[in-house]
Amino acid sequence: MAQREQHSPVAIDAELPGRFSRVVRFLISLIFYAVSEGWDFVRRAAGKSRAPRIVVIYYHHVIDEHRERLRHQLDHLVRWTTPMHAGRNQVVADGSRYAVVTMDDGWLSFARNAIPQLALRNIPVAIFAISDRLGQVIDNVAFDRLLNADELRGLDPTLVTIGSHTATHARMTTLDEPNSFRELHDSREKLSQLLGREVNAFCFPYGEYNHRLIDLCREAGYERVFTCDAELANPGDFAVGRVRVDPTDWPLEFHLKLMGAYRWLPTAISLKRRLMAPLRGRSRIAATSISAPS
Ligand SMILES: [Zn+2]
């Protein structure tokens, strides 16, 4: 299918679930939330505390028209969770909820419309930049562009952590090992030099990764890597899951994502993949690569 120009974030984003599956995911997450909150309540009544809950969310674009929606989301985030930055081994308390805000690709619209709102609320954010695409456009997006080197350097380092999103936004599971390592290593080097500080976080474009790539990230010197599997995070984890959010999320949908109620999704996706693999005649290939819609 020819790549069509995308004139707004929600128009044609192949990575966003279709309306039907969005509604299905929403309804299952609503039930999941009711059941898990009910269970937490019973446990608390029995004097048991709940483990700290850390949810990492990731944005892409925040266009001017969506500024107000983003404000509501961030107000909701500080009301229901304690914001934390993306680094490892932070101190967390039982029974508390934490949220880590991240953004993929390094879009200008996010820097312009979201970062001032994040700063106002003292919410740290991690931005994953594509070292060889700074200032350019990817995926034929017509309404936004990526931050250039000066703009990236100009971001407040006390609020914004810069991580790598590869050198060229490659689908990492399609590359051989030397090229995979080059995407990891060179992007980290270039961004660290550009910023004058160590870049040690990474996230996989399109959420495509496998265990060998996780190991390669360690070898390339990263301290933490992020996927697009909607799992809860643990303070010490090297590889951390995230859930996609957009300013266009319904308020309750955003709340459920923030509460970790979409964490059933990775299991459902891998189950579906295993069930479908025989039908697709691809069972062997599917077993070696893990990817979730980013
Ligand atoms: Zn990306």
Side-chain angles (χ1 to χ4, degrees):
M1 178 177 77
Q3 279 278 22
R4 280 180 281 170
E5 287 216 344
Q6 300 185 30
H7 290 290
S8 92
V10 290
I12 312 164
D13 184 331
E15 306 299 338
L16 268 176
R19 188 145 188 112
F20 176 73
S21 76
R22 181 182 171 188
V23 172
V24 170
R25 290 174 184 198
F26 171 73
L27 293 173
I28 296 173
S29 302
L30 194 56
I31 296 162
F32 187 94
Y33 181 58
V35 172
S36 68
E37 290 301 302
W39 178 239
D40 282 351
F41 179 78
V42 170
R43 282 175 55 85
R44 269 201 309 275
K48 295 205 171 82
S49 68
R50 195 202 55 214
R53 203 160 276 165
I54 307 172
V55 172
V56 185
I57 61 174
Y58 68 105
Y59 283 96
H60 287 80
H61 312 276
V62 178
I63 59 174
D64 298 359
E65 293 91 312
H66 293 155
R67 252 192 302 239
E68 199 54 32
R69 289 176 177 217
L70 180 93
R71 279 203 198 113
H72 289 303
Q73 289 182 345
L74 298 182
D75 285 339
H76 192 82
L77 187 147
V78 289
R79 201 175 311 129
W80 283 80
T81 72
T82 302
M84 67 178 355
H85 66 81
R88 285 173 79 178
N89 300 321
Q90 293 170 74
V91 178
V92 290
D94 275 355
S96 297
R97 291 179 185 276
Y98 300 88
V100 178
V101 178
T102 69
M103 188 267 279
D104 284 6
D105 307 330
W107 295 104
L108 176 63
S109 69
F110 184 91
R112 197 171 47 214
N113 294 322
I115 290 185
Q117 299 303 322
L118 291 159
L120 269 179
R121 295 165 181 80
N122 210 15
I123 302 173
V125 60
I127 290 180
F128 295 99
I130 307 161
S131 66
D132 294 9
R133 296 281 181 276
L134 300 180
Q136 301 174 18
V137 162
I138 57 165
D139 294 348
N140 290 295
V141 170
F143 60 86
D144 209 346
R145 69 161 172 81
L146 304 177
L147 292 164
N148 62 33
D150 288 337
E151 288 159 343
L152 214 57
R153 246 193 307 264
L155 298 174
D156 174 1
T158 63
L159 184 83
V160 183
T161 302
I162 304 293
S164 164
H165 199 36
T166 73
T168 63
H169 207 242
R171 288 182 184 272
M172 296 289 281
T173 52
T174 64
L175 301 180
D176 60 22
E177 196 150 310
N179 280 310
S180 299
F181 189 76
R182 196 170 306 123
E183 288 279 347
L184 295 169
H185 176 268
D186 293 7
S187 60
R188 182 169 176 264
E189 289 287 299
K190 280 184 189 155
L191 291 169
S192 298
Q193 267 165 30
L194 181 151
L195 297 165
R197 59 182 188 269
E198 280 291 299
V199 164
N200 48 41
F202 173 81
C203 96
F204 294 96
Y206 310 102
E208 295 200 6
Y209 74 100
N210 56 39
H211 293 305
R212 181 64 197 129
L213 285 165
I214 299 263
D215 293 341
L216 274 183
C217 287
R218 271 183 220 278
E219 289 164 33
Y222 291 103
E223 285 178 7
R224 195 166 226 198
V225 302
F226 295 83
T227 72
C228 297
D229 300 344
E231 292 151 347
L232 297 179
N234 295 307
D237 286 352
F238 177 74
V240 176
R242 304 178 303 164
V243 59
R244 177 180 179 141
V245 295
D246 289 281
T248 49
D249 285 352
W250 307 313
L252 183 52
E253 184 184 18
F254 180 77
H255 178 74
L256 293 172
K257 288 177 177 180
L258 197 63
M259 296 299 104
Y262 276 62
R263 63 184 180 278
W264 57 273
L265 199 51
T267 314
I269 288 173
S270 71
L271 197 65
K272 184 182 163 202
R273 177 163 290 118
R274 286 179 200 290
L275 291 172
M276 299 293 283
L279 300 175
R280 289 205 196 116
R282 288 177 34 211
S283 62
R284 197 168 44 71
I285 299 164
T288 58
S289 108
I290 306 167
S291 71
S294 74

